[in-house]
Amino acid sequence: MTVYKYDGAGNDFVVIDGRGTDVGICRKGEFIRTICDRKSGLRAADGRIGADGLMILDAPEAAADGLRPDFRMEYFNSDGSGGMMCGNGGRCIAAFADRLGIRPDGGILLFEAPDGLHTASITGRSGDTLTVCLKMLDVKELIRYDDGCFLDTGTRHFVCFRPDVSQIDVEKDGARLRHDARFAPQGANVNFVSPQKDLTIAVRTFEKGVEAETLACGTGITASAIASYAQGVPPTECSGDGSVCYAVRALRDRLSVRFRPSVHLAETAGDDSRSTPTGLRNGPVASEVYLTGPATFIGTEEL
């Protein structure tokens, strides 16, 4: 079996073409944990051992609205758990589809993911690195607490604001909040965010399923941008169509998140008089959400 290795802003993934091939073993927890193990797992061409997750590109199923996706994305964390979306993984699997020659008319890929249908487009090419713009699903709810915001961007996230994320013990504080009773029983990924003077935001993430800090998290970066708007953090830029954009600094790369905030979210942004917790549920709190960043092909290995 040929497996591919991709990197999305520091998140690394084992990716497998499951079309017309029996890849059932690749969905088993023991296989996933073995290949993703950071000490003894797959050694890629760049020397990294293991991975943050495993993805399978498979044949699509007809969507409920009659659309025919170009492919289906299956995503698994390194511990074998699945059923959630991965933003950096979504960009990487779109780049993988492009490498496999899946290039629809108009250049916009449509694919199924665990949380629904997504589109992706290649907006830049530089050697083995593609810049991918991934459309995320609308965010339908944001709950604000005294110590942060909870929202679901395809994966559940709790976003905490801190003066300087470089001073955070992410492993300790992230593990504690990841298991907080408010988010039981599923738990939540935890993002620590610091607004910067240059109108960017710095983000560090503790990921459940990996149970450690990762170099980046696409759904977490998306959640951090939307939560930043809800907290009154000025966006990097505003557009005449009502959308806003946040430039985000992950530990290694920069990404951007563009979205259209709801009127309700805009009216309550930065409101310090709110009660705790406050749920914003007046339709989607953020729509037309796009995550843009790099997806790099590392190489192939034979198993």
Side-chain angles (χ1 to χ4, degrees):
M1 179 188 300
T2 300
V3 300
Y4 298 74
K5 189 74 180 293
Y6 272 83
D7 177 289
N11 272 156
D12 57 339
F13 307 97
V14 174
V15 191
I16 297 167
D17 183 0
R19 301 170 301 166
T21 305
D22 183 4
V23 294
I25 190 174
C26 301
R27 299 183 177 94
K28 296 185 179 299
E30 182 178 357
F31 177 88
I32 296 166
R33 288 188 293 272
T34 297
I35 202 170
C36 292
D37 188 276
R38 287 298 185 185
K39 295 181 179 179
S40 59
L42 176 74
R43 180 183 290 274
D46 63 353
R48 274 186 285 183
I49 298 173
D52 289 327
L54 179 145
M55 295 187 291
I56 300 171
L57 185 150
D58 210 343
E61 298 175 357
D65 55 7
L67 295 174
R68 181 67 177 178
D70 296 298
F71 63 90
R72 178 162 53 96
M73 167 190 176
E74 296 181 57
Y75 176 76
F76 301 92
N77 284 318
S78 60
D79 68 352
S81 59
M84 72 288 292
M85 178 55 179
C86 174
N88 288 332
R91 293 199 322 280
C92 286
I93 207 165
F96 180 51
D98 180 83
R99 174 169 285 273
L100 295 177
I102 303 174
R103 294 171 183 160
D105 293 339
I108 299 178
L109 290 160
L110 175 67
F111 67 94
E112 299 173 57
D115 62 337
L117 290 174
H118 292 262
T119 60
S121 58
I122 312 300
T123 61
R125 299 176 185 269
S126 179
D128 286 328
T129 298
L130 305 186
T131 301
V132 181
C133 178
L134 174 67
K135 190 174 192 297
M136 309 292 282
L137 298 191
D138 292 351
V139 177
K140 298 180 179 179
E141 179 182 63
L142 182 147
I143 301 175
R144 295 195 290 196
Y145 297 91
D146 282 340
D147 57 341
C149 299
F150 174 81
L151 61 165
D152 190 328
T153 54
T155 299
R156 295 154 53 89
H157 286 272
F158 184 58
V159 181
C160 307
F161 293 85
R162 299 287 188 270
D164 185 357
V165 292
S166 68
Q167 302 302 311
I168 300 293
D169 186 339
V170 174
E171 299 289 339
K172 178 182 176 181
D173 294 348
R176 174 178 56 82
L177 289 167
R178 175 256 189 275
H179 292 285
D180 191 287
R182 290 172 292 182
F183 315 125
Q186 300 99 318
N189 291 350
V190 183
N191 306 100
F192 299 97
V193 178
S194 294
Q196 306 294 301
K197 292 181 180 179
D198 62 356
L199 295 183
T200 63
I201 57 174
V203 178
R204 295 177 67 185
T205 300
F206 182 94
E207 288 199 53
K208 68 185 182 75
V210 179
E211 304 306 329
E213 181 177 15
T214 55
L215 291 174
C217 172
T219 54
I221 284 170
T222 303
S224 296
I226 296 170
S228 292
Y229 188 89
Q231 292 296 101
V233 176
T236 308
E237 62 179 70
C238 300
S239 300
D241 63 0
S243 64
V244 298
C245 180
Y246 284 85
V248 183
R249 298 181 184 181
L251 285 177
R252 199 190 69 182
D253 288 314
R254 287 198 180 199
L255 302 93
S256 68
V257 180
R258 183 177 297 277
F259 62 94
R260 186 187 298 274
S262 71
V263 172
H264 186 49
L265 183 62
E267 288 176 346
T268 58
D271 178 10
D272 290 329
S273 64
R274 58 191 176 272
S275 60
T276 304
T278 300
L280 303 182
R281 302 181 178 86
N282 187 20
V285 299
S287 58
E288 298 178 42
V289 184
Y290 292 90
L291 170 68
T292 302
T296 302
F297 171 64
I298 302 301
T300 61
E301 300 292 337
E302 298 296 325
L303 293 183

